[in-house]
Structure formats: structure tokens, C-alpha cells
Amino acid sequence: MLSVKNISYAYGDNEVLQNLNLEVKPACIHGILGMNGAGKTTFFNVMYGLLKKQVGEMKYDGQALHSRSIAYLETNNYFYSYMRAREYLQLCAGKNSSFDIDHWNALFQLPLDYLIDSFSTGMKKKLAFMGVLALNRPVLILDEPFNGVDLESNEIIYQILLRLKQQSKLILLSSHIIETLTNVCDAVSYLNEGSFRQTFQKPDFPEMERKLRDKLQEKTGEILDQLMNSGHS
């Protein structure tokens, strides 16, 4: 069980996260949905320890959550210059002899003996995702894992996540696109202005989509009305 209680974080006077509470069970894929700037990446960075939490506590299996339990796929992936893709995966796998690099690469078809600097954005994303798998940690945090990835690779990632769930991995997955999450998640928490407004279980996904779309359409409609009316004045 992953437990997050009363987590808050601020950049100076700008409070980005406000008393976040969340519980996620193993063998679960839990989505974090929010618009750009809602605080998704800040929340994940606090969980992984890249940012030091200012208030609250995080526990996994009753103990303080540590980065050693987490494999974190960041939104933007950074690699050492002059490193080849195979070397990167070997570094991630470490002593994990069960991770067969070439067998996994049969899914993604990356040129592993090329320098990573020569890879496209989508290729780097797939390589970073393979690196997360190579780490073999019980908790996976995936920040916008489908961004920049082609349709076929999206489907491959979906299938891998479902298999990892069967292995009792605990997966947190973020997106600002509803369908990316409803396709694979068991539950989705809506993050808005630094707070979790509501958590929806799978049977409630249609209601979640309707509520969010109605809210966005109302907001957009008001702005368009003003624009159109001012254009005709």
C-alpha cells in the first residue's frame, strides 16, 4: 500500500501542492489527471525525492517511502552524452539478470548500439521506459509516458502496464488527456490547482469524462462568447 498524507509544497510564496492525500494498493494502475501546470510533475518529484516535501508524510508498506522503491519515468528524459542505448540499459539493469535487453527491445526495435544523442524524442521516451522496466522496482511513477510516442508503441506500453499490474506492481501514471488514463487505469484522481478534487473508480469514468468536459466547455464557451461579441462590436 502506498499512502500519501497531507503533502504540501510551495515554490517560495507559490503553493503548488495543498494537503494532498492518496492511497494506492499494489496491483493497481492509478491515474493522475490534470491540466498543464496543475502540479502533477511537482507531486511526482516530491514523491521521488527530487524535491523535499515541506509538509506531510509518504509511506510504502508501512515504511517511509524511499526512492529505492521507485522507478521514475520523468516527462523529459536526460541521458549522458556519448552513451549508447545498450550501455544505458545495462546501467539501469545493474545486477538484474532477469532483464533481457534484446528480448525487451524486440517490442520497441531501437538501434541499441547507436549513440542516444542521435535518437528522436519518441525513441528516447521508449528507451527511458525500458530503463524503468530494467530497474525492477515495486513502485512505478510514469509522468506523461505516452507523450511523443507513436501509436504502435502506445499500445505496447498499455499492454506492458497491464502485465506489470498482474505482477502486483503499483503504478502511478499521469496525463492531461483523459483517454490515455481511462484506457488502462483502475482509478483516476483529478488534480486541479494543487489539490485532488475527486478520485474516480473505473465504473465512474464515464461520469468523470462528462463532468470534466462540461466544465471545460462552459469555460471555453464563455471566452469564445466574449471574443465573438467583441469582434462584432
Side-chain angles (χ1 to χ4, degrees), residues 12-26:
D13 294 331
N14 180 23
E15 192 172 24
V16 181
L17 304 178
Q18 304 168 23
N19 298 317
L20 295 188
N21 291 277
L22 186 67
E23 287 191 350
V24 184
K25 297 178 181 178

Side-chain angles (χ1 to χ4, degrees), residues 126-141:
K126 288 185 278 189
L127 178 64
F129 182 70
M130 288 178 65
V132 163
L133 300 177
L135 289 170
N136 192 30
R137 304 277 173 80
V139 178
L140 280 73
I141 295 179

Side-chain angles (χ1 to χ4, degrees), residues 206-221:
E207 176 193 358
M208 174 186 71
E209 292 189 57
R210 180 184 57 77
K211 282 185 175 180
L212 294 180
R213 290 189 189 282
D214 287 350
K215 183 177 179 180
L216 291 172
Q217 287 172 5
E218 180 181 357
K219 179 180 178 180
T220 304

Side-chain angles (χ1 to χ4, degrees), residues 18-148:
Q18 304 168 23
N19 298 317
L20 295 188
N21 291 277
L22 186 67
E23 287 191 350
V24 184
K25 297 178 181 178
C28 178
I29 304 175
H30 194 105
I32 306 296
L33 176 65
M35 303 302 139
N36 292 331
K40 303 186 300 296
T41 297
T42 298
F43 175 53
F44 285 166
N45 285 342
V46 169
M47 290 192 67
Y48 190 62
L50 294 177
L51 296 174
K52 187 176 181 180
K53 69 180 185 299
Q54 296 163 334
V55 179
E57 64 177 19
M58 300 176 293
K59 291 186 177 182
Y60 176 69
D61 280 352
Q63 304 296 320
L65 180 65
H66 195 280
S67 59
R68 288 191 297 266
S69 299
I70 301 171
Y72 182 22
L73 178 69
E74 299 180 70
T75 305
N76 298 309
N77 313 117
Y78 302 97
F79 303 94
Y80 293 114
S81 296
Y82 308 112
M83 177 175 276
R84 300 182 188 277
R86 186 180 299 278
E87 294 171 334
Y88 172 77
L89 293 176
Q90 289 170 341
L91 183 65
C92 291
K95 297 181 180 180
N96 179 17
S97 58
S98 65
F99 186 82
D100 189 311
I101 291 173
D102 290 305
H103 282 180
W104 277 103
N105 194 47
L107 291 171
F108 293 108
Q109 297 292 310
L110 294 174
L112 296 181
D113 295 316
Y114 282 55
L115 291 174
I116 302 172
D117 284 349
S118 68
F119 281 18
S120 68
T121 300
M123 292 166 69
K124 288 179 179 177
K125 178 74 78 171
K126 288 185 278 189
L127 178 64
F129 182 70
M130 288 178 65
V132 163
L133 300 177
L135 289 170
N136 192 30
R137 304 277 173 80
V139 178
L140 280 73
I141 295 179
L142 310 176
D143 196 2
E144 303 280 2
F146 302 101
N147 277 8

